[in-house]
Amino acid sequence: MADPVRDPSQDPAVDLRINLRLAAAWLAAAWQDLWRRLWAATAALAAFVALALTDVLPGLPGWLHILILIAVLGGIGGLAARAVQGFRWPTRDGARAWLESAAADLHRPLTTVEDRPALAASAFERALWQAHQDRARARLDQLRVNPPAPGVAARDRLALRAAAIVALAIAIVGAGPDAPGRLVRALMPAFDGGSADLTVKLWITPPVYTNRSPIYLEHPAAEGTVDAAATIDVPEGSKALVVVTGTARDTVLAADDAEFPLERLADSSLRLETPLPSARALTLTQRGRVIAAWSLNPLADLPPEIAWTREPAEAGRWRLRLDYRAVDDYGIARAVARISAGPELPAALAATAAEDAVEVELNTPPFNPKEAASASFHDLTAHPWAGFPVEIELAVTDQAEQTAVSEKLSAVLPERAFEHPVARELAAARKALFLDLAGAIRPVRGSLGRILQDPSAFGGDARVYLALSTARARLGLNGPEVAVRPLADLLWQAAIRIEDGNLVAAEQRLEAAEQALREAMERGATPAEISRLIDQLQRALAEYTRELAARMPEGEMSALTPPQDQQMFGPEDIAATMERLRQLAEMGAEDAARQMLSELQNMLQTLRSAAAAKNDNPTLRKAQDIMKDLRQLAEDQARLMEDSFQKAREQALDSIGGREPRPRREAGPRGR
């Protein structure tokens, strides 16, 4: 544009306003010409953007997607190129003419102001020209810019541009925040597998301990699968397995804000197996496009609870009785009692309190029950704190490793009272070593020397003699620096053997056999292994009853009764329970076998409690008969097993030798 010749007296402010109006007129003229030429290409572009925002194109095969892009973008480009042929940007003269055309009655004031005489003029002519320009300059502020009038309506008789704009507005609202991602996907065809036959399969597997069935989801939803519109209950700690077929495009599983990319497989499918975090929504996306989504309701695994049902107390045979109640929403895995030093513990024992703190397993029903209300019995008489105040708290752990504790109660740890004088003296010597090692060495060594001088005082037991001799020698050789714990253990084992003989060992073997059977059933052992462990438990029970009966001969036994909350039973009840348990295990009836094992455990606990309780109850004779019957039953079973083995062996030998089978011998009843 050529710069106009301006009057030197022109006001700069007026000049700025005129330039702004000229710029607006220039834009209006350019827009009118461009829109008249490009409206068709622009309407086509708006329609394509609306199509892209629907996210339809990424779902097409890659070859079809790119053909559509070429056709649409090529068509739009062709329309635009044809339309702009012959287009020229407006000049300043054109902008001035546009501006002055809006006020034809003003007789082109801007042209007059910017004009100048062509020839030299006289003074009168210059004065006349100046007056003419002054009048024109006064009218400049009246100039207004005409809006563009391209007249497209006359060209677009079907209002196609309006339809494209409406479609674009609807598509923008529908796409929402995902609009940029949809545009990118529409312009980037993928050739890694189409998604027309895309199928999503999702398995959500809750933890085993919840006893909940796996959840199967499919998209598109198939008959018999969970409705995708429903909210799905998902226990905490579940695992997700996702398989996507019909596409190999990059796919991501999103659980709220957590994202897990799927792994591409050789058959152009995708797979992911991962722990599922607690989330409200599960979404499967491809390049930001949602291909499947589910609403979840995460179920938290609540922590367990445990509480005392009565204060700790001493039970029969100097056992510590702990009564508790524990609950958990999915099942109790483990319950323990933590025993720590009490405030009144002697200084010598308090010095090693951290080392002596003990944790014992509580007796819980098998197979992880949701609720357990039980009494647990524990023999802690060998502990250095026996006879002193301690503090006890209970702790329970669920199958998700969550732990809860009870309040801490004070109790006196039961101390065993020995009847045999030698055993009683050894127990006292052991306790003296714990309380004052340096001061007790000489008296204890002297006491052991006196006992060893008369082995008949403890029945001449070689094991006891060897243990006491070893303890006396170590006291003399090591002095005050002797390791008190191994020495105290020698004295304790000697005292127990003098007092009980083999009864304690037999009871320990019975408890071990019972525990082995319980653990085997909990881990789902084979019927053959369970049958073998039942045989082992029967042998341990027979040994225990023999030792118990030997320790309580007629005429010297104290009364034996079970606790008040338990019932008496006969030996045939225990034997029948074991056999039913064996049969149920062989048939694979797991639930019934678990119930039978629980009943067997209760019966064995009742037996131990009855044997441990000593008082003047008038039911002595009945308890004594039960113990005799148990022993006789165990012996009869052993003889029957021996006879059966012998008969089988004889028949096998006869068959091998080609001889006629020997006459079958009937095992008659044996007298008691």
Side-chain angles (χ1 to χ4, degrees):
M1 297 181 222
D3 292 335
V5 178
R6 295 181 177 81
D7 193 300
S9 64
Q10 184 177 343
D11 186 357
V14 174
D15 186 56
L16 176 61
R17 292 197 298 272
I18 293 303
N19 286 333
L20 290 176
R21 287 187 176 93
L22 281 172
W26 185 88
L27 289 174
W31 170 251
Q32 177 175 290
D33 196 12
L34 282 174
W35 182 240
R36 184 184 292 120
R37 295 169 179 271
L38 295 176
W39 72 268
T42 305
L45 180 61
F48 171 73
V49 173
L51 176 65
L53 291 178
T54 60
D55 217 18
V56 172
L57 295 178
L60 301 176
W63 63 269
L64 181 58
H65 187 173
I66 196 168
L67 285 179
I68 292 175
L69 282 181
I70 293 173
V72 172
L73 297 181
I76 294 173
L79 285 174
R82 182 177 179 182
V84 298
Q85 287 182 357
F87 171 76
R88 297 291 183 271
W89 293 103
T91 63
R92 180 180 179 85
D93 291 340
R96 184 176 57 193
W98 182 284
L99 185 60
E100 291 177 335
S101 66
D105 56 330
L106 297 179
H107 304 290
R108 301 169 64 191
L110 184 57
T111 302
T112 301
V113 170
E114 293 182 347
D115 202 0
R116 63 188 305 175
L119 300 174
S122 64
F124 173 76
E125 290 173 339
R126 287 196 299 272
L128 183 61
W129 176 254
Q130 185 64 43
H132 177 58
Q133 282 195 324
D134 289 343
R135 285 194 299 271
R137 188 176 291 108
R139 296 176 180 179
L140 291 178
D141 286 339
Q142 300 179 28
L143 293 177
R144 297 291 182 269
V145 179
N146 274 339
V152 174
R155 299 170 181 266
D156 182 18
R157 298 184 181 277
L158 299 178
L160 297 178
R161 67 193 191 284
I165 292 173
V166 172
L168 178 59
I170 294 174
I172 291 174
V173 173
D178 193 34
R182 294 188 178 189
L183 287 175
V184 172
R185 291 193 295 272
L187 295 174
M188 296 178 62
F191 297 94
D192 50 358
S195 56
D197 299 326
L198 184 145
T199 302
V200 178
K201 297 180 180 180
L202 169 64
W203 290 265
I204 299 178
T205 305
V208 176
Y209 63 80
T210 63
N211 292 322
R212 287 177 172 265
S213 301
I215 303 168
Y216 175 63
L217 306 168
E218 189 172 342
H219 178 81
E223 183 178 358
T225 60
V226 178
D227 185 5
T231 300
I232 305 164
D233 293 335
V234 178
E236 183 179 352
S238 298
K239 293 184 178 180
L241 172 62
V242 187
V243 176
V244 181
T245 58
T247 181
R249 298 177 182 174
D250 293 339
T251 306
V252 175
L253 178 69
D256 287 350
D257 296 332
E259 295 186 347
F260 307 92
L262 275 67
E263 177 185 2
R264 185 176 299 179
L265 303 179
D267 59 349
S268 297
S269 61
L270 303 163
R271 183 182 185 276
L272 170 68
E273 185 172 5
T274 180
L276 195 60
S278 180
R280 290 285 178 182
L282 202 61
T283 308
L284 205 62
T285 59
Q286 279 187 346
R287 299 182 180 176
R289 180 172 67 94
V290 176
I291 60 175
W294 298 274
S295 178
L296 307 182
N297 177 31
L299 302 178
D301 188 346
L302 301 177
E305 298 178 4
I306 190 169
W308 296 94
T309 55
R310 57 182 289 184
E311 293 187 353
E314 180 180 345
R317 201 171 176 80
W318 310 282
R319 294 191 173 200
L320 178 65
R321 174 169 178 159
L322 305 174
D323 294 82
Y324 70 96
R325 179 179 180 272
V327 294
D328 184 66
D329 50 353
Y330 289 121
I332 299 166
R334 180 172 179 257
V336 299
R338 299 169 180 167
I339 303 174
S340 56
E344 301 178 8
L345 197 68
L349 297 177
T352 58
E355 302 175 11
D356 292 334
V358 63
E359 182 176 279
V360 295
E361 295 279 344
L362 296 179
N363 180 36
T364 58
F367 312 112
N368 309 112
K370 293 184 178 180
E371 180 176 358
S374 180
S376 189
F377 299 87
H378 305 276
D379 185 359
L380 299 175
T381 52
H383 197 276
W385 295 346
F388 295 102
V390 295
E391 292 184 342
I392 308 174
E393 70 174 3
L394 307 179
V396 61
T397 303
D398 65 7
Q399 299 178 81
E401 300 299 328
Q402 299 180 102
T403 301
V405 297
S406 70
E407 65 173 322
K408 189 174 291 188
L409 297 183
S410 297
V412 175
L413 207 60
E415 182 179 17
R416 175 163 185 168
F418 290 90
E419 297 180 359
H420 195 286
V422 175
R424 187 164 54 247
E425 186 173 354
L426 293 177
R430 173 179 178 269
K431 190 171 185 178
L433 290 174
F434 281 128
L435 296 178
D436 183 11
L437 176 60
I441 288 179
R442 185 178 297 274
V444 170
R445 191 167 184 274
S447 176
L448 294 179
R450 290 192 301 273
I451 295 173
L452 289 171
Q453 290 178 359
D454 185 13
S456 62
F458 50 83
D461 192 312
R463 295 183 183 179
V464 174
Y465 187 90
L466 180 60
L468 297 183
S469 300
T470 302
R472 183 172 181 273
R474 294 183 64 178
L475 281 172
L477 293 175
N478 298 332
E481 293 78 17
V482 67
V484 66
R485 297 305 165 87
L487 182 60
D489 185 62
L490 276 176
L491 297 179
W492 180 259
Q493 296 300 329
I496 291 296
R497 185 168 182 83
I498 293 172
E499 183 79 9
D500 292 334
N502 293 322
L503 177 61
V504 173
E507 185 174 4
Q508 291 175 349
R509 282 190 287 270
L510 175 62
E511 293 177 351
E514 179 184 347
Q515 181 66 22
L517 177 60
R518 171 181 172 176
E519 292 177 352
M521 292 193 64
E522 286 182 344
R523 71 171 186 269
T526 62
E529 181 180 359
I530 292 176
S531 179
R532 178 180 61 81
L533 293 175
I534 291 176
D535 292 339
Q536 179 179 315
L537 180 61
Q538 288 177 330
R539 291 192 295 270
L541 178 62
E543 180 184 359
Y544 174 69
T545 54
R546 283 196 301 268
E547 294 295 333
L548 190 61
R551 298 295 299 171
M552 295 183 294
E554 287 189 26
E556 297 182 7
M557 286 183 13
S558 301
L560 294 180
T561 61
Q564 295 180 359
D565 56 350
Q566 299 176 353
Q567 298 179 352
M568 292 297 293
F569 51 87
E572 66 281 356
D573 297 326
I574 296 180
T577 301
M578 288 186 181
E579 291 305 319
R580 285 198 298 271
L581 176 59
R582 190 197 307 271
Q583 295 170 3
L584 291 172
E586 292 175 352
M587 292 187 297
E590 295 184 1
D591 293 338
R594 292 174 179 178
Q595 182 64 30
M596 193 60 61
L597 175 61
S598 180
E599 293 181 10
L600 177 61
Q601 286 184 308
N602 291 335
M603 297 173 76
L604 293 176
Q605 182 60 46
T606 301
L607 174 64
R608 286 192 291 264
S609 300
K614 295 186 177 183
N615 49 50
D616 295 329
N617 194 290
T619 58
L620 166 62
R621 184 57 56 192
K622 184 176 182 180
Q624 182 179 357
D625 292 341
I626 288 176
M627 305 309 292
K628 290 182 178 180
D629 290 342
L630 282 172
R631 184 176 65 174
Q632 187 62 47
L633 179 62
E635 293 175 354
D636 291 344
Q637 287 179 340
R639 282 194 294 268
L640 287 173
M641 292 177 65
E642 183 180 353
D643 290 344
S644 298
F645 173 79
Q646 186 65 29
K647 285 184 289 184
R649 182 173 179 273
E650 291 174 356
Q651 291 177 359
L653 291 175
D654 291 341
S655 300
I656 294 173
R659 299 188 300 269
E660 291 294 328
R662 299 180 184 179
R664 185 174 181 179
R665 295 184 301 170
E666 297 294 334
R670 297 175 182 261
R672 298 188 178 182

